[in-house]
């Protein structure tokens, strides 16, 4: 029987990063993955393929709607070749997952394919092409999450689908109804709207992306409405039924009146839930909460002293980069180091266009906590760079403490804000004030100038270019 210092179950961002960091720190490490390719949801049926389709569909939209503005004339029709678009998406996924295999080999990490389950706290059985048992002093659970649904919905994976199936459709829907106005639903809804589908988003709450700052919700919905996406907010879905190639969705609006939607595809995008099936947690007494998440302490240690858990399978926001930070943290704890994660400074991003990015406290949270604050906001349309590219929607908003000027939250909508948010994370990690950011030189012309201008606005209402 092979013996390891650390075994990692699951090879998504949390798992593979944990394995790499353990190996870097001198631990003999194994990683167990039940699927043929590593990378978990993120690389295979999540972050990476969705971004590939977002980029491809964005190119198509530019060619059909914006090239003419730039003096580029195309003779003949510009058509979508969905088969080739999906082929490119699959190639991107394949290249990325093979990169994980390379990293495992480079770091001398032993890979096992199969379903890993606890026999006891130091022994794991792996059921794959053959049955194997390994021994591990410590185990890190990183089995991730799977799409959630509603109890009355039958996901048939053909017409009533989750994000997984939406990433591999063989035709462009005529009308796609998206249940859920969160990150995944909006991103995939925008993909198919660009490609020619009619898209209706049905959301239970009174705004889209309800976990983010209200100003961001308002701005993104305004822009997506201009893109002809339809919204039904404050609607409680109560039935989803398929009849042949038609799906009927019934919901009650905020007045309790029944509303009916008909579509050829219904994307159920109501969040995700922790995945622990087949782990055998009951064999060793690892506790879970009422949501099925593995219970952990601040160091991500479970109720069993040599077993840890990271990423979507534990509490907290379900983001790949949060899982990566936790994976690295646990590896360093096992090596005797004292790392920490400030969960308030994990950024959240929506990869629609315009993009949406946020870190720290929202204005609503500050009001609820009765924290006195200053707010500075700068519109993207006032930037020369935005006008040059034609991406004039959005803004940057900075919230800072009224007495100390420390930055408490940064919220952005606009071109490339998924990249810009890193500046805000860096500033907040070093507890910068709004004035600190305002006094830093930002290259001209760039989208990043909006961050400086918002900081100037928050400092003393002295933005320069508005």
């Amino acid at each position: 029987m092979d013996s390891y210092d650390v075994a990692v179950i699951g090879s998504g961002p949390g798992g593979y990063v944990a394995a790499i960091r353990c190996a870097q720190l001198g631990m003999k490490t194994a990683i167990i993955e039940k699927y043929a390719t590593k990378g978990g949801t993120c690389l295979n049926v999540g972050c990476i393929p969705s971004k590939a389709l977002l980029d491809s569909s964005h190119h198509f939209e530019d060619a059909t709607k914006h090239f003419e503005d730039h003096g580029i004339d195309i003779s003949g029709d510009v058509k979508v070749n969905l088969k080739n678009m999906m082929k490119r998406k699959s190639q991107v996924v394949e290249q990325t997952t093979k990169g994980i295999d390379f990293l495992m080999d480079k770091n001398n990490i032993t890979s096992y394919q199969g379903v890993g389950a606890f026999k006891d706290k130091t022994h794991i059985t792996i059921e794959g092409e053959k049955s194997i048992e390994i021994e591990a002093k410590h185990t890190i659970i990183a089995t991730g999450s799977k799409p959630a649904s509603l109890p009355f919905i039958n996901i048939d994976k053909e017409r009533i689908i989750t994000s997984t199936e939406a990433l591999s459709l063989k035709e462009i829907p005529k009308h796609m109804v998206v249940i859920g106005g969160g990150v995944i639903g909006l991103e995939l809804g925008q993909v198919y709207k660009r490609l020619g589908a009619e898209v209706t988003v049905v959301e239970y709450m009174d705004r889209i992306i309800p976990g983010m700052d209200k100003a961001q919700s308002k701005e993104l919905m305004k822009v997506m409405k201009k893109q002809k996406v339809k919204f039904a907010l404050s609607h409680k879905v109560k039935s989803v039924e398929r009849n042949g190639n038609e799906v009927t969705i019934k919901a009650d609006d905020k007045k309790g009146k029944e509303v009916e939607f008909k579509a050829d595809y219904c994307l159920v995008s109501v969040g995700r839930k922790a995945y622990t099936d087949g782990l055998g947690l009951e064999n060793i007494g690892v506790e879970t909460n009422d949501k099925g998440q593995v219970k952990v302490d601040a160091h991500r240690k479970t109720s069993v002293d040599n077993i840890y858990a990271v990423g979507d399978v534990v509490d907290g926001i379900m983001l790949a980069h949060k899982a990566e930070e936790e994976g690295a943290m646990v590896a360093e704890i096992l090596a005797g180091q004292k790392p920490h994660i400030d969960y308030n400074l994990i950024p959240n991003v929506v990869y629609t266009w315009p993009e949406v990015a946020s870190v720290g406290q929202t204005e609503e949270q500050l009001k609820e906590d009765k924290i006195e604050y200053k707010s500075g906001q700068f519109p993207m349309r006032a930037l020369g760079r935005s006008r040059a590219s034609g991406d004039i929607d959005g803004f940057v908003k900075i919230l800072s403490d009224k007495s100390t000027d420390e930055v408490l939250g940064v919220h952005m909508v606009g071109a490339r804000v998924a990249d810009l948010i890193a500046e805000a994370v860096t500033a907040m990690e070093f507890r910068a004030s709004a004035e600190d950011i305002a006094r830093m030189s930002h290259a001209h012309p760039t989208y990043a100038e909006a961050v400086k201008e918002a900081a100037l606005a928050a400092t003393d209402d002295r933005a320069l270019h508005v």
Side-chain angles (χ1 to χ4, degrees), residues 150-170:
L150 298 171
F152 52 84
I153 297 179
N154 175 33
I155 305 285
D156 64 19
K157 299 186 178 183
E158 294 175 352
R159 294 285 168 176
I160 304 171
I161 61 176
T162 69
S163 57
T164 300
E165 295 78 47
L167 291 165
S168 298
L169 292 184
K170 291 181 170 56

Side-chain angles (χ1 to χ4, degrees), residues 93-110:
V93 169
E94 183 182 3
Q95 291 163 4
T96 310
T97 56
K98 282 183 176 177
I100 306 301
D101 289 330
F102 166 78
L103 292 171
M104 296 302 101
D105 292 341
K106 177 190 172 188
N107 289 280
N108 297 313
I109 296 163
T110 304

Side-chain angles (χ1 to χ4, degrees), residues 81-303:
N81 186 326
L82 190 63
K83 183 178 179 181
N84 279 357
M85 191 177 286
M86 291 295 177
K87 180 182 177 183
R88 176 187 177 271
K89 178 262 305 180
S90 297
Q91 289 170 340
V92 170
V93 169
E94 183 182 3
Q95 291 163 4
T96 310
T97 56
K98 282 183 176 177
I100 306 301
D101 289 330
F102 166 78
L103 292 171
M104 296 302 101
D105 292 341
K106 177 190 172 188
N107 289 280
N108 297 313
I109 296 163
T110 304
S111 295
Y112 293 97
Q113 187 187 342
V115 177
F118 291 102
K119 181 179 179 182
D120 56 46
K121 62 187 278 187
T122 57
H123 293 86
I124 300 167
T125 59
I126 304 166
E127 297 295 332
E129 288 185 1
K130 56 183 179 179
S131 296
I132 304 169
E133 185 176 322
I134 64 171
E135 183 178 38
K137 292 178 189 174
H138 297 93
T139 299
I140 301 172
I141 300 168
T143 46
S145 62
K146 63 180 180 180
S149 184
L150 298 171
F152 52 84
I153 297 179
N154 175 33
I155 305 285
D156 64 19
K157 299 186 178 183
E158 294 175 352
R159 294 285 168 176
I160 304 171
I161 61 176
T162 69
S163 57
T164 300
E165 295 78 47
L167 291 165
S168 298
L169 292 184
K170 291 181 170 56
E171 65 178 2
I172 298 166
K174 296 180 183 67
H175 181 200
M176 174 181 276
V177 167
V178 179
I179 300 176
V183 178
I184 299 168
L186 295 178
E187 289 181 1
L188 291 173
Q190 193 173 65
V191 165
Y192 286 106
K193 178 60 188 171
R194 289 167 175 168
L195 299 182
E198 181 184 343
V199 174
T200 303
V201 177
V202 182
E203 168 58 44
Y204 177 73
M205 303 292 282
D206 62 356
R207 61 188 178 101
I208 59 173
I209 48 172
M212 301 183 86
D213 193 275
K214 189 176 283 188
Q216 292 173 300
S217 302
K218 185 179 178 182
E219 179 74 5
L220 182 61
M221 192 167 86
K222 182 184 80 175
V223 176
M224 291 187 75
K225 276 185 171 180
K226 283 196 295 183
Q227 297 166 351
K228 308 300 183 188
V229 176
K230 296 176 182 175
F231 291 92
L233 305 181
S234 300
H235 278 58
K236 182 181 180 181
V237 174
K238 59 184 183 180
S239 73
V240 178
E241 301 291 338
R242 176 184 175 182
N243 182 13
N245 291 336
E246 185 178 75
V247 182
T248 302
I249 301 97
K250 292 182 180 179
D252 290 334
D253 67 14
K254 61 183 177 183
K255 295 180 180 177
K257 180 184 175 184
E258 185 176 280
V259 182
E260 186 175 281
F261 305 90
K262 290 191 181 295
D264 53 340
Y265 286 90
C266 177
L267 168 58
V268 181
S269 181
V270 293
R272 300 181 64 84
K273 58 183 178 181
Y275 185 78
T276 59
D277 295 3
L279 274 175
L281 299 182
E282 65 281 357
N283 297 339
I284 53 171
V286 169
E287 296 176 5
T288 57
N289 63 22
D290 57 358
K291 295 180 180 177
Q293 298 164 326
V294 177
K295 286 185 179 179
V296 290
D297 64 13
H299 292 154
R300 309 289 94 174
K301 184 189 288 185
T302 70
S303 52

